[in-house]
Amino acid sequence: MDILQRVAAKAVIVRNGKILILREAATYGEGTQRGRYHMPGGRVEIGEHFEAALRREVREETGLEITIEAPLYVGEWRPVIKGQPNQIIGIFFVCRPTTADITLSTEHDSYEWIDPARQADFDIMDPEDLVIEQYLQSRRTRSSN
C-alpha cells in the first residue's frame, strides 16, 4: 500500500510563558492517539498557504485567533489512519493568541496551558515533546544573550 504524504502546520501557542496543548477525543474519526495531548494545527490543503492553514486549523480546533511569530521545529511522524499509512511532515510555529476564549472542536475533549518545563506531567505525543524541548532551548538561548 502506498504511503500518503501530507504537510501539517502546527501552533506552539504561548501565553504568559505557558503552552497550549489539546487532548485528542475518542470521537475524533481520524484519531490515532486518543487521550494523548498535542498542539493545535493540522493539514495544509493543496494550494492553501501554510499560514492560512495554520490560522484555519487553530480557529477550528480552539476558536482562537493567533499571530504567527516564527518557525521553531520541523519534524515528521508516520501514523496509520483508517488502515492507510501516512507520512506527515509538520512545521511548528511559535504563535501568540490574540483572543482569549477557547472553544474546542469535537476532535478534542480537554486542553491545558502548561509550563513547558513540566511537560513530563502530561502524555504528549511525538514529536510535540521534542518541540517543547526546542522551545525551552530557544528561551534559554535568548535569555543568555
Side-chain angles (χ1 to χ4, degrees), residues 45-84:
E45 300 298 331
I46 294 173
E48 184 178 30
H49 192 279
F50 70 90
E51 287 184 354
L54 183 57
R55 285 188 178 90
R56 174 184 52 77
E57 286 285 346
V58 168
R59 191 178 315 110
E60 288 173 2
E61 293 181 356
T62 69
L64 292 174
E65 299 295 330
I66 57 169
T67 298
I68 301 169
E69 292 188 353
L72 176 69
Y73 184 90
V74 177
E76 72 174 273
W77 53 101
R78 296 174 180 257
V80 175
I81 301 172
K82 296 183 178 180
Q84 171 71 52

Side-chain angles (χ1 to χ4, degrees), residues 73-77 90 92 124-132:
Y73 184 90
V74 177
E76 72 174 273
W77 53 101
F92 293 78
I124 299 173
M125 60 180 80
D126 297 327
E128 265 94 330
D129 53 343
L130 302 174
V131 175
I132 293 172

